[in-house]
Amino acid sequence: MIKVENLYKKFDKHNVLNGIDIEIKPGEVVCVIGPSGSGKSTFLRCLNLLENPTDGHIYFKGADLTDKNANINQLRQKMGMVFQQFNLFPHMTVLENMTVAPKMLLGLSKADAEARAMGLLERVGLADRAGSYPSQLSGGQKQRVAIVRALCMEPEVMLFDEPTSALDPEMVGEVLDVMKELAHANMTMVVVTHEMGFAREVGERIIFIDEGVIVEQGTPDEIFNNPQSERLKNFLAKVL
Amino acid sequence: MIPISIQNWFIDAFNAIQEWFNQIINAVNGWLDQLADTFLTDDRYLWLLEGLENTLIITVGALLLGIALGTVISVVKYFAEDFKPLKPVSWLFSTYVTVIRGIPMTVLLLIVYYIIFADSNNGIMVGIIAFGLNSAAYISEIVRGGISAVDKGQMEAARSLGMSRLQGMRKVVFPQAIKNMLPAVGNEMIALLKETSVAGYVAVRDLTRAASQVRNITYDSVNPLAVTAITYLVIVLILTWLLSKFEKRLRKSDKG
């Protein structure tokens, strides 16, 4: 579904990504772990071109995103993204947050978009907050809304950029539960996370990135119980 | 029985108060006569009304022009940050802002009137254009500040949903930026209203110019200037009141 070839990213003189190759299959849940500053967030943001790769190719369903003529706006409709800082639109209600893009980009009528949004809100237990503004929600509620806002576009891939890092500890669970449900519903997911428990439980493949390269990858069992490289062993010793 | 001396004192005091009273009434009457003479003779108050109308026309026209042009300038500069072909236009706009901000308003007005529109005698149009060009430079900076105060994540979220930069700007970033801009635009509006008082340089009868004409013909300096000053003040007070109401309404949508 997503194929990354030889991905490089440079910020000024600073090399962040130094040649990443990976292929993500439909329905796969890939968790990306690594120390901070390792380039894992940049890698994720390159997947939907929020960061422009310096070199390399990213294919999404066969289309080369890095091609100058690629219709990136159209391709992004199929790739939902959830941010660490939620990035809900503060001047819109929860319902408006969710329906603005489907109405504008998919041509849905107001009624259809709202029906779709309400269905999703029900799934995450927030139907009663449809008329609220983001400032009236807790962090966990905000992130659940951010997830269903992305789902409202019916994407084929969901990208999560440290979705629980900005949350109070007691709210992490409710967000991870939504993500677990999504994984069980066979959504293709790429999750940058510090939640090793989540990665171990839900991840089908774990990717360990350090200094801009994939140092090691494998099943949760291989990565957490039988790490090969010194760097991964050091990292796990610190976080587990 | 009250002693004579105290009775006399009361009578004196009463007379004195009556005397002051008469003086005040005479003064007020004199002032009213003067007012009538200054403003009603030859219907000179109509000059002031015409001046007020022209002042308001120039202010509103220039403000609209300034907002339109200022928004275009700042949005183009915003997009030029990641879109190379717009760079030269952006540079041109930056130069424009620098030049305009370095020229006194009166000089700019004279340039527009005597050089750019030398063939035109339409002082009001020239005024709208000159003040509008000037305002655009300041408003573009206000808009730029308002846009850059909106969190970068907002545009990223809009883009991640598939919106183009323009769609994200229109639906997500700009509505939030307006809230940041409003107080500064209000100040600019008030400054603009007062700046238009130099429009008389190009033969427009604005409020200030009308007052000067009345003053020249009547040799009465106090009343025309007082009326003019109070009129500006009242307009500013009304604008301030409207703005604070508008701001409150915008803020409500934030909190719900």
Side-chain angles (χ1 to χ4, degrees), chain A residues 45 48 50 73 76-77 79 81 83 87-92 100-101 104-105 133 135-136 149-150 153, chain B residues 151 153-154 156-165 167 170-172 175-176 179 252-256:
Chain A
R45 290 162 58 83
N48 68 351
L50 281 185
N73 294 329
R76 279 202 189 111
Q77 294 175 14
M79 307 173 103
M81 183 154 192
F83 300 86
N87 294 345
L88 293 179
F89 307 138
H91 59 302
M92 299 181 192
V100 58
M104 182 191 283
L105 305 169
Y133 283 90
S135 59
Q136 299 165 318
R149 176 177 71 178
M153 290 296 287
Chain B
D151 187 74
Q154 292 290 310
E156 288 185 351
R159 298 305 307 276
S160 79
L161 288 166
M163 292 188 208
S164 68
R165 289 180 69 80
Q167 287 168 328
R170 193 164 54 83
K171 271 282 181 192
V172 175
Q176 297 180 58
K179 249 170 273 185
K252 217 187 272 169
S253 76
D254 233 5
K255 305 278 175 259

Side-chain angles (χ1 to χ4, degrees), chain B:
Chain B
M1 202 53 201
I2 302 167
I4 299 290
S5 61
I6 293 182
Q7 278 184 23
N8 282 341
W9 187 85
F10 268 110
I11 291 167
D12 285 351
F14 183 76
N15 284 338
I17 289 169
Q18 202 173 30
E19 184 64 21
W20 290 340
F21 220 72
N22 283 335
Q23 276 175 4
I24 289 170
I25 286 173
N26 283 338
V28 170
N29 273 334
W31 182 57
L32 287 176
D33 286 345
Q34 170 90 68
L35 273 186
D37 189 40
T38 303
F39 294 116
L40 296 182
T41 314
D42 295 337
D43 286 342
R44 282 193 281 263
Y45 69 96
L46 289 177
W47 302 2
L48 289 173
L49 283 180
E50 186 200 338
L52 175 62
E53 187 189 348
N54 286 341
T55 290
L56 292 177
I57 289 173
I58 293 176
T59 304
V60 171
L63 189 73
L64 294 179
L65 181 63
I67 287 175
L69 204 57
T71 305
V72 169
I73 290 174
S74 52
V75 169
V76 166
K77 283 170 82 169
Y78 175 84
F79 283 128
E81 276 170 30
D82 339 52
F83 187 59
K84 293 241 156 47
L86 276 177
K87 282 262 156 68
V89 188
S90 164
W91 181 84
L92 208 71
F93 282 155
S94 297
T95 313
Y96 172 81
V97 171
T98 308
V99 168
I100 292 285
R101 291 213 293 187
I103 300 178
M105 185 56 237
T106 314
V107 177
L108 179 66
L109 182 68
L110 293 174
I111 290 174
V112 173
Y113 188 68
Y114 286 109
I115 301 176
I116 301 177
F117 290 104
D119 299 332
S120 167
N121 274 325
N122 190 341
I124 292 180
M125 184 208 57
V126 167
I128 288 175
I129 291 174
F131 289 109
L133 290 176
N134 183 64
S135 241
Y138 292 95
I139 290 177
S140 77
E141 288 297 292
I142 294 171
V143 175
R144 193 188 56 78
I147 289 174
S148 64
V150 175
D151 187 74
K152 271 187 66 144
Q154 292 290 310
M155 183 55 105
E156 288 185 351
R159 298 305 307 276
S160 79
L161 288 166
M163 292 188 208
S164 68
R165 289 180 69 80
L166 207 60
Q167 287 168 328
M169 174 57 77
R170 193 164 54 83
K171 271 282 181 192
V172 175
V173 176
F174 208 74
Q176 297 180 58
I178 286 178
K179 249 170 273 185
N180 304 331
M181 287 157 18
L182 211 67
V185 169
N187 285 340
E188 172 60 22
M189 197 152 91
I190 288 166
L192 177 63
L193 169 77
K194 296 190 290 182
E195 267 183 340
T196 59
S197 63
V198 300
Y201 273 97
V202 296
V204 178
R205 182 186 270 169
D206 73 319
L207 185 56
T208 307
R209 169 92 163 185
S212 295
Q213 287 171 335
V214 173
R215 189 166 48 90
N216 284 339
I217 228 163
T218 59
Y219 301 108
D220 176 6
S221 299
V222 177
N223 293 316
L225 286 176
V227 167
T228 306
I230 290 168
T231 308
Y232 280 114
L233 179 63
V234 167
I235 301 174
V236 169
L237 288 178
I238 293 172
L239 287 179
T240 312
W241 177 73
L242 283 177
L243 272 165
S244 72
K245 268 192 88 149
F246 192 52
E247 251 177 87
K248 245 178 235 154
R249 252 188 52 185
L250 275 182
R251 226 173 306 146
K252 217 187 272 169
S253 76
D254 233 5
K255 305 278 175 259

